Amino acid sequence: MNRLIVPKRTAGPGPLTVQSNVDDAITRLVKYIPAEVISGYTMLSGIVAGVAPPNSPLKEFAGWAVFAIFTGLTPIYLWKVGRPTGVQWWHLPISTVSFVLWAYALGGPFTSAKIFGLAYESWFAALLAGLFSWAIAIVWTPTEPQPSGIPAFPKGGPNA
């Protein structure tokens, strides 16, 4: 299975053909969640939570640093993975938001922070991550851009 979304073709010049490889909602759901990035984040944030002494002044900083690094790595990783086939630009921000919500659901540094003045609630975090993942996969069916639209990054990258 390709790691990135296969968009539906839009009507354009030439005959329309049936695409058998277009991703359905369930496949999009799985592909929008950056599982490889989340697993790396889970491992490193688990090390911070489990190995760092509880009263260490660096523990909270390290937790937030791991979160920030993996948030930045999410679009870079997906761009690198998708380079051979071309990356649709919209896949990067959707998967980055998905990572942030799943990291929030996992707890980590969020458990000691107040967001919008509210204390961390694991059930609410899991609800947000799940709702976003399902909603974006079901509601939005991506299509290939028209030739005059925003193109995918070329196979060699944006500067190729």
Side-chain angles (χ1 to χ4, degrees):
M1 171 171 82
N2 184 358
R3 179 66 185 98
L4 301 171
I5 303 295
V6 177
K8 188 168 76 173
R9 289 197 177 124
T10 57
L16 278 178
T17 58
V18 176
Q19 283 184 271
S20 60
N21 64 340
V22 173
D23 292 327
D24 61 6
I26 298 299
T27 306
R28 288 192 306 270
L29 169 71
V30 171
K31 288 182 177 183
Y32 283 141
I33 299 170
E36 303 94 326
V37 180
I38 292 170
S39 67
Y41 169 77
T42 302
M43 179 188 68
L44 291 182
S45 64
I47 290 171
V48 170
V51 176
N55 56 353
S56 172
L58 290 177
K59 186 172 184 172
E60 187 172 352
F61 171 77
W64 285 111
V66 168
F67 170 73
I69 289 166
F70 276 86
T71 300
L73 284 177
T74 300
I76 294 168
Y77 170 76
L78 291 172
W79 176 74
K80 287 283 213 183
V81 166
R83 246 186 358 192
T85 58
V87 179
Q88 300 293 327
W89 67 270
W90 39 261
H91 197 281
L92 305 179
I94 289 172
S95 288
T96 302
V97 169
S98 181
F99 166 76
V100 168
L101 291 173
W102 283 99
Y104 178 52
L106 290 170
F110 295 99
T111 57
S112 61
K114 288 197 172 193
I115 298 177
F116 302 117
L118 301 171
Y120 177 79
E121 298 266 354
S122 60
W123 68 270
F124 183 70
L127 181 71
L128 284 178
L131 283 176
F132 175 80
S133 298
W134 278 97
I136 199 74
I138 292 171
V139 172
W140 189 49
T141 303
T143 56
E144 285 183 343
Q146 291 291 327
S148 62
I150 300 172
F153 290 141
K155 291 182 182 182
N159 298 323

